[in-house]
Amino acid sequence: MDFADVTSRRARAALRHVAGFSAGTAVDPRLRITLNFHPDRWAGGVSVLTALARDGAYHSQFVTGTSNGGLTARPGGDRWRWESRIFGGAYDDAAPHERPVYGALNFRRQVVGAAPRFGSAHFRLTAGALTRATFCYPDSAAEPADFGVAAGMSLIALAEADEQDPLNDYVEAHVHGGVDLSRDVEALVLDACYRGTPVEAAARSLPCPVEWHPGYRLTVTGLRRHADYRGREYTELGARIARDGLVDPRAIGDAARSGRYGLQDLKMVWHTLARFGAPEGAGTAYSGPETSGGHTPGLRTPSA
């Protein structure tokens, strides 16, 4: 595997480095990498979707300075150090835009994307992205020892045999050589709570189809029932920001943009919603009286 069709010299070096210690069966070409994110957040004075439309590309946190996980993308920071180790130093002196984009392999075919802990929306990438991606299990923040490329790896079997919290149950993917929204994205998949909102309007300006999944929602009663998951202070925060007794991604996004609440606190509310308010067809789906139903499972999501 020489990855000769990858134009970036650094990306080729990183792919070859990981391929050198990757072994196992080839990834099913029908599987997709997804990039989960919160579509209603703002960065640099503009909405995330507006910035995506402007740039025409999905960037790593080294470019954006934002993250839905840890924010350590700086020289000598944890993300920089992890990438140096995983990719054999290929990106050590790279410009920010040259670095890989992070997502996850949707081997469980979840309607909400492979790694919903990072957001309710996701870009579903094309089959071509698989061939220039590297993978690890578990998340790179856990200093994993197991890596792979699509031509052959054993990471899916490792993930299936492991017992993780459902929000940590993903095979991390690193897409090298950039993610162009018009070339590399099959669809942007949004939570149903954003229908008819400015989020949908902004999404329609992107050069890719828009699809929908049934949506996350959880009653305040249900939220409080799971106060031990992330902490009672976060369930009470969720209760304060709920709309008509329900918490959904839109309620959390409105709270984030208000500037009245800490973003890390709201992230804990999101984790509880993602864990216990997921629709059917999501690996985190929880069957309990506190969810508001009407959800149906499936791999593909309806476009509109």
Side-chain angles (χ1 to χ4, degrees):
M1 296 173 286
D2 63 2
F3 303 99
D5 57 336
V6 177
T7 57
S8 164
R9 174 181 59 84
R10 296 183 192 278
R12 285 197 306 273
L15 286 158
R16 289 168 179 167
H17 178 76
V18 175
F21 46 88
S22 175
T25 58
V27 172
D28 184 339
R30 295 171 295 180
L31 295 182
R32 293 293 182 266
I33 293 169
T34 62
L35 315 178
N36 280 79
F37 68 105
H38 295 293
D40 53 3
R41 301 300 195 265
W42 284 61
V46 298
S47 74
V48 166
L49 291 178
T50 298
L52 285 164
R54 177 195 65 204
D55 298 344
Y58 189 101
H59 297 300
S60 78
Q61 62 173 264
F62 280 92
V63 174
T64 65
T66 63
S67 172
N68 295 315
L71 185 55
T72 61
R74 58 182 183 275
D78 285 344
R79 175 63 55 198
W80 187 96
R81 180 174 54 82
W82 298 332
E83 290 192 0
S84 182
R85 182 178 76 91
I86 295 170
F87 306 126
Y91 294 110
D92 281 4
D93 58 352
H97 72 273
E98 294 182 284
R99 289 181 174 270
V101 165
Y102 284 67
L105 180 64
N106 199 6
F107 68 94
R108 298 195 188 278
R109 295 175 166 86
Q110 299 188 98
V111 297
V112 294
R117 80 175 284 130
F118 300 114
S120 67
H122 67 275
F123 285 113
R124 187 177 69 241
L125 302 189
T126 63
L130 284 172
T131 64
R132 51 187 177 86
T134 54
F135 304 90
C136 67
Y137 184 82
D139 186 289
S140 53
E143 304 278 2
D146 297 291
F147 305 92
V149 294
M153 67 181 193
S154 58
L155 301 180
I156 293 176
L158 285 175
E160 290 177 332
D162 200 4
E163 292 188 7
Q164 286 274 0
D165 180 287
L167 292 190
N168 299 332
D169 182 30
Y170 55 87
V171 171
E172 184 178 280
H174 325 104
V175 183
H176 304 265
V179 172
D180 182 284
L181 300 184
S182 61
R183 176 194 67 196
D184 301 320
V185 174
E186 286 185 345
L188 168 60
V189 184
L190 292 173
D191 188 290
C193 71
Y194 293 114
R195 284 188 182 273
T197 70
V199 167
E200 179 181 1
R204 299 291 181 189
S205 69
L206 299 177
C208 61
V210 174
E211 296 179 2
W212 302 90
H213 66 72
Y216 288 90
R217 51 189 182 269
L218 189 61
T219 66
V220 169
T221 299
L223 192 71
R224 285 173 168 151
R225 186 173 288 120
H226 301 290
D228 60 343
Y229 185 63
R230 287 295 190 258
R232 184 162 300 279
E233 64 268 39
Y234 306 118
T235 58
E236 292 309 309
L237 172 57
R240 289 198 297 275
I241 67 173
R243 299 181 303 141
D244 299 322
L246 285 174
V247 181
D248 62 11
R250 185 178 168 191
I252 297 174
D254 288 347
R257 294 192 309 279
S258 75
R260 294 161 52 196
Y261 308 99
L263 295 182
Q264 291 301 309
D265 295 339
L266 291 170
K267 182 165 73 172
M268 297 300 103
V269 179
W270 164 245
H271 285 178
T272 308
L273 172 60
R275 175 64 183 88
F276 299 105
E280 294 180 26
T284 55
Y286 176 84
S287 296
E290 60 269 16
T291 56
S292 180
H295 299 158
T296 55
L299 169 59
R300 292 287 175 166
T301 49
S303 56

